[in-house]
């Protein structure tokens, strides 16, 4: 009977250790769904990755324009030295995977995405501004195509 009792205690201890390990893994994974898979892929080859953090208020909405309260609080949590740029609803900063997994636990973090840079030229402005639908609009008998004009304000 003594060996069975010892075996039972050992079995219970092993079960408890496994349970604690699983709970730790689940807690570490909480919030990972907020991180864009492309960002996680970058951590495979880089120790630190620059990301854009999209913020939300306590109601789950993006912060109102001009409301800097949330961005100031999250910047303080991150540390000013890590923040590269910020807006009323987003912060650009560089993190290690551990720092990022810690940060996404915050309810004010809506999502984390990769920073994408765009290179635009004036020749691309027509498509970016989407003025093509205006070209069929007439004003005083003339089409608003911008033809022959150097600068057109839409």
């Amino acid at each position: 009977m003594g060996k069975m009792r010892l075996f039972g205690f050992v079995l219970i201890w092993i079960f408890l250790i496994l349970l604690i390990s699983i709970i730790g893994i689940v807690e570490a994974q909480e919030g990972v769904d907020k991180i864009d898979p492309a960002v996680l892929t970058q951590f495979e080859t880089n120790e630190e990755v620059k990301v854009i953090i999209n913020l939300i208020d306590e109601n789950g909405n993006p912060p109102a324009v001009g409301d800097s309260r949330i961005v100031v609080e999250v910047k303080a949590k991150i540390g000013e030295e890590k923040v590269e740029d910020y807006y009323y609803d987003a912060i650009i900063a560089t993190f290690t995977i551990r720092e990022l997994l810690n940060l996404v636990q915050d309810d004010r973090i809506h999502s984390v995405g990769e920073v994408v840079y765009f290179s635009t030229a004036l020749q691309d402005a027509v498509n970016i501004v989407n003025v093509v639908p205006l070209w069929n609009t007439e004003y005083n008998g003339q089409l608003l195509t911008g033809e022959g004009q150097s600068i057109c304000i839409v």
Side-chain angles (χ1 to χ4, degrees), residues 118-125 128:
F118 295 95
S119 179
T120 58
L122 191 54
Q123 67 196 27
D124 301 324
I128 293 171

Side-chain angles (χ1 to χ4, degrees), residues 2-152:
K3 287 184 179 182
M4 284 300 276
R5 182 175 266 174
L6 180 62
F7 179 74
F9 283 127
V10 170
L11 195 60
I12 289 173
W13 276 107
I14 291 173
F15 176 75
L16 288 174
I17 290 170
L18 285 173
L19 183 64
I20 290 170
S21 298
I22 291 170
I23 290 171
I25 291 169
V26 169
E27 284 181 6
Q29 296 299 317
E30 192 175 302
V32 172
D33 58 327
K34 294 180 182 180
I35 304 173
D36 185 334
V39 171
L40 295 173
T41 302
Q42 288 183 37
F43 280 113
E44 293 174 6
T45 55
N46 301 302
E47 188 174 322
E48 292 188 329
V49 174
K50 185 187 301 186
V51 297
I52 184 162
I53 304 159
N54 299 299
L55 306 172
I56 53 175
D57 63 18
E58 54 278 349
N59 298 320
N61 300 315
V65 176
D67 181 7
S68 61
R69 176 182 49 87
I70 295 170
V71 77
V72 167
E73 291 170 0
V74 175
K75 272 177 43 185
K77 181 176 183 172
I78 293 169
E80 291 283 338
E81 70 282 353
K82 295 191 84 53
V83 175
E84 235 178 85
D85 204 355
Y86 63 93
Y87 310 93
Y88 68 95
D89 64 343
I91 297 173
I92 296 175
T94 303
F95 296 98
T96 65
I97 186 70
R98 182 177 299 260
E99 292 169 333
L100 194 55
L101 288 173
N102 241 354
L103 183 65
V104 294
Q105 304 299 318
D106 192 319
D107 290 337
R108 298 170 292 190
I109 308 302
H110 178 262
S111 62
V112 177
E114 66 180 322
V115 176
V116 180
Y117 294 98
F118 295 95
S119 179
T120 58
L122 191 54
Q123 67 196 27
D124 301 324
V126 170
N127 293 328
I128 293 171
V129 178
N130 195 22
V131 294
V132 176
L134 289 177
W135 289 353
N136 293 326
T137 304
E138 281 191 38
Y139 182 76
N140 287 337
Q142 288 188 327
L143 290 175
L144 300 177
T145 62
E147 189 175 335
Q149 304 297 313
S150 299
I151 298 174
C152 296

